[in-house]
């Protein structure tokens, strides 16, 4: 019997070696999944700061581009990395079959569809002000503003549906009743924030561009 024990995987090459390999890889991906959950919570915190600052900036007409872009790009980077790690974990761990909160129900579908929408609309969101500035008075202006609202709502839905899942992954939330209550509270908060962002930003844009 030949024994090979790397530091990370600790694999035993026996006639059952392939089983040990799968177990070691699964542990590795579970660790990745937990770090991804921590990343998602950290990104949510950055997103909340970013959106609250944007609200303040649009209401007060005081805008610090360095502060806004620093948090904005940090959130975008965190979200992209989180999306990549989530995709890896889904395919590697087959979460839809093995984890209770990942059953393919309406919430899971909405969570994954919203993540796709966010990724697709993120570049437009980043350059939205320049696009609006160059399309004042045309139908393109209305399209860009509408897409912005869709982006805010999709982002809020995704965060609202993902918060409790991150707590479950980290072992901080096990009670299903508490999970449902947290889902409702967090989702309502983020959707209300998205609606407030949409109203404040679109009306302020109208004032800025004299529409």
């Amino acid at each position: 019997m030949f024994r090979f024990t790397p530091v990370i995987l600790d694999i035993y090459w026996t006639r059952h070696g392939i089983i040990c390999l799968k177990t070691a890889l699964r542990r590795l991906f579970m660790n990745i999944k937990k770090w991804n959950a921590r990343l998602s919570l950290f990104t949510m915190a950055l997103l909340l700061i970013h959106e609250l600052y944007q609200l303040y900036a649009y209401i007060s007409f005081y805008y610090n581009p360095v502060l806004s872009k620093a948090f904005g790009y940090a959130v975008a980077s965190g979200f992209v990395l989180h999306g990549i790690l989530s995709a890896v974990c889904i395919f590697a761990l087959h979460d839809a079959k093995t984890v209770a909160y990942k059953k393919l129900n309406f919430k899971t579908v909405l969570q994954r569809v919203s993540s796709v929408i966010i990724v697709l609309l993120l570049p437009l969101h980043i350059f939205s002000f320049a696009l609006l500035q160059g399309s004042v008075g045309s139908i393109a202006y209305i399209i860009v503003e509408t897409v912005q609202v869709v982006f805010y709502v999709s982002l809020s839905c995704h965060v609202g549906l993902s918060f409790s899942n991150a707590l479950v992954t980290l072992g901080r939330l096990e009670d299903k009743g508490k999970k449902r209550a947290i889902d409702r509270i967090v989702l309502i908060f983020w959707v209300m924030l998205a609606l407030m962002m949409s109203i404040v930003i679109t009306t302020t844009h109208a004032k800025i561009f004299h529409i």
Side-chain angles (χ1 to χ4, degrees), residues 37-47 74:
R38 295 184 182 99
L39 173 63
S40 70
L41 293 175
F42 180 66
T43 305
M44 289 176 199
L46 290 178
L47 175 64

Side-chain angles (χ1 to χ4, degrees), residues 129-150:
F129 192 84
L131 292 172
L132 289 170
Q133 198 171 23
S135 61
V136 175
S138 68
I139 189 66
Y141 180 93
I142 299 174
I143 293 173
V144 173
E145 286 286 48
T146 303
V147 170
Q148 279 282 81
V149 173
V150 173

Side-chain angles (χ1 to χ4, degrees), residues 39-56:
L39 173 63
S40 70
L41 293 175
F42 180 66
T43 305
M44 289 176 199
L46 290 178
L47 175 64
L48 180 60
I49 295 172
H50 176 63
E51 293 204 351
L52 290 177
Y53 175 74
Q54 292 298 105
L55 275 176
Y56 168 77

Side-chain angles (χ1 to χ4, degrees), residues 7-155:
V7 176
I8 298 178
L9 298 182
D10 192 24
I11 303 168
Y12 292 85
W13 291 105
T14 67
R15 61 194 179 93
H16 301 296
I18 190 65
I19 298 176
C20 296
L21 175 61
K22 287 182 178 179
T23 301
L25 287 174
R26 184 171 181 81
R27 288 177 182 174
L28 175 63
F29 282 116
M30 281 302 298
N31 286 331
I32 293 175
K33 184 172 183 177
K34 288 183 178 181
W35 279 105
N36 192 33
R38 295 184 182 99
L39 173 63
S40 70
L41 293 175
F42 180 66
T43 305
M44 289 176 199
L46 290 178
L47 175 64
L48 180 60
I49 295 172
H50 176 63
E51 293 204 351
L52 290 177
Y53 175 74
Q54 292 298 105
L55 275 176
Y56 168 77
Y58 273 92
I59 292 172
S60 65
F61 283 89
Y62 173 78
Y63 179 73
N64 185 324
V66 176
L67 186 61
S68 179
K69 290 183 183 298
F71 275 102
Y73 285 125
V75 172
S77 301
F79 185 82
V80 171
L81 180 57
H82 168 66
I84 293 171
L85 293 177
S86 296
V88 170
C89 290
I90 288 171
F91 289 109
L93 296 174
H94 306 291
D95 282 350
K97 297 180 181 179
T98 59
V99 183
Y101 61 74
K102 286 291 186 179
K103 289 179 180 177
L104 196 60
N105 53 27
F106 176 74
K107 287 184 178 180
T108 304
V109 172
L110 182 59
Q111 184 183 16
R112 293 178 183 175
V113 169
S114 63
S115 67
V116 173
I117 293 173
I118 294 166
V119 170
L120 293 176
L121 299 185
L122 184 59
L124 186 145
H125 171 70
I126 293 173
F127 300 106
S128 60
F129 192 84
L131 292 172
L132 289 170
Q133 198 171 23
S135 61
V136 175
S138 68
I139 189 66
Y141 180 93
I142 299 174
I143 293 173
V144 173
E145 286 286 48
T146 303
V147 170
Q148 279 282 81
V149 173
V150 173
F151 177 81
Y152 291 136
V153 173
S154 299
L155 193 59

